């Protein structure tokens, strides 16, 4: 086995560990790993990321459900508009983005560059959220909002996660806390249902348009599942807040690196 492939599989283990330890962030590592280390183009990388994150999140959902930390009804209700947007964005939007977005002087912004830059911007948002790391859970006293608002928000978040091949846990957790009045720990578990459904349905959109290397993808995913099992176990002994903040700084640096790499 080539050294690059070995490092890639070690990365898969780390992706799972991160998901198990902090309940999100797997796709933030998966896409750069596939693009910069294993040399996949961003379209393939984001597709593979959806499958990896969706499958590992399914394992996480089962674990959280057994602990009573999943609001199934709310998760499924929020999933409906989201998975519609994810599927449509992967099936039609991503495939029809022009190869050259625009050209200014000698600078050409290509489709692949645009996807990675947009991914980096989302990473910046995620890193700020992790670094803030509020110590107190928000005290929510307002009534739940009308479903049509949740439907629109689900469509927007779904479209974003579909474009970048992310599970979107870092977007869904605050949405569930602020809009659905779900406690933080339960919001993390509930978000995994949405991430699982969105990611796997989004990947179905890709299967219809891309050639999938199933042997590699299933091996990478299996190693990530081992990682999430280990991460969930170790999360009992590690401070989630401190870990999340440290990971936030790491993601911030990675986002800056992607921006530099793509736009230099």
């Amino acid at each position: 086995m080539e050294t690059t492939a070995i490092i890639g599989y070690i990365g898969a283990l780390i992706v799972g560990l991160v998901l198990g330890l902090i309940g999100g962030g797997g796709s933030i590592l998966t896409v750069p790993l596939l693009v910069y280390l294993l040399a996949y183009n961003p379209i393939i990388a984001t597709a593979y990321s959806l499958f990896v994150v969706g499958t590992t999140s399914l394992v996480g959902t089962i674990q959280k459900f057994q602990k009573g930390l999943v609001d199934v009804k709310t998760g499924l209700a929020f999933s409906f508009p989201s998975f519609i947007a994810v599927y449509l964005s992967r099936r039609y939007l991503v495939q029809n983005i022009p190869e050259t977005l625009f050209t200014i002087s000698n600078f050409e912004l290509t489709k692949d560059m645009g996807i990675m830059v947009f991914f980096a911007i989302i990473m910046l948002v995620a890193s700020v959220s992790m670094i803030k790391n509020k110590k107190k859970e928000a005290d929510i006293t307002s009534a739940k909002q009308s479903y049509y608002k949740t439907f629109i928000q689900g469509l927007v978040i779904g479209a974003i996660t579909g474009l970048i091949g992310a599970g979107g846990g870092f977007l869904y957790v605050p949405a569930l806390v602020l809009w659905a009045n779900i406690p933080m720990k339960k919001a993390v578990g509930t978000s995994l249902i949405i991430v699982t459904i969105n990611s796997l349905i989004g990947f179905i959109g890709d299967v219809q348009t891309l050639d999938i290397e199933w042997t590699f993808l299933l091996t990478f995913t299996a190693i990530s599942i081992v990682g999430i099992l280990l991460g969930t176990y170790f999360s009992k002994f590690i401070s989630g807040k401190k870990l999340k903040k440290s990971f936030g700084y790491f993601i911030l640096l990675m986002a800056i690196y992607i921006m530099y790499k793509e736009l230099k």
Side-chain angles (χ1 to χ4, degrees), residues 150-165:
T150 300
F151 189 90
I152 294 171
Q153 290 154 350
L155 286 176
V156 172
I157 297 176
I160 292 173
T161 56
L163 276 172
I164 65 176

Side-chain angles (χ1 to χ4, degrees), residues 73-93:
K73 184 177 179 180
T74 301
L76 292 177
F78 210 100
S79 294
F80 178 65
S82 297
F83 79 67
I84 291 175
V86 172
Y87 176 81
L88 292 177
S89 65
R90 295 306 299 185
R91 180 68 178 85
Y92 299 105
L93 179 58

Side-chain angles (χ1 to χ4, degrees), residues 18-149:
V18 169
L19 278 167
L21 287 169
I22 67 175
S27 58
I28 290 175
L29 292 176
T30 306
V31 173
L33 177 67
L34 292 170
V35 172
Y36 298 121
L37 183 62
L38 300 179
Y40 285 96
N41 72 59
I43 304 298
I44 295 291
T46 52
Y48 285 9
S49 173
L50 286 172
F51 182 82
V52 173
V53 173
T55 306
T56 51
S57 293
L58 175 60
V59 176
T61 300
I62 294 170
Q63 291 180 314
K64 295 290 185 182
F65 181 79
Q66 291 172 340
K67 296 176 182 178
L69 295 175
V70 177
D71 185 328
V72 177
K73 184 177 179 180
T74 301
L76 292 177
F78 210 100
S79 294
F80 178 65
S82 297
F83 79 67
I84 291 175
V86 172
Y87 176 81
L88 292 177
S89 65
R90 295 306 299 185
R91 180 68 178 85
Y92 299 105
L93 179 58
V94 172
Q95 300 304 319
N96 290 294
I97 296 174
E99 291 301 322
T100 299
L101 298 178
F102 63 81
T103 303
I104 299 178
S105 297
N106 294 324
F107 176 76
E108 179 185 19
L109 184 66
T110 66
K111 176 180 180 177
D112 288 351
M113 288 172 61
I115 289 174
M116 292 308 296
V117 169
F118 184 60
F119 187 85
I121 292 171
I122 299 301
M123 287 174 69
L124 286 172
V125 174
S127 67
V128 171
S129 174
M130 292 175 182
I131 292 169
K132 279 185 176 179
N133 200 14
K134 294 181 180 179
K135 293 183 179 179
K136 295 182 180 180
E137 182 177 311
D139 294 322
I140 307 298
T141 56
S142 59
K144 292 184 180 181
Q145 66 176 355
S146 302
Y147 184 70
Y148 82 89
K149 293 182 180 178

Side-chain angles (χ1 to χ4, degrees), residues 240-251:
K241 290 182 179 179
K242 290 181 179 178
L243 184 68
K244 203 162 192 176
K245 193 168 187 177
S246 299
F247 186 66
Y249 282 112
F250 172 73
I251 294 306

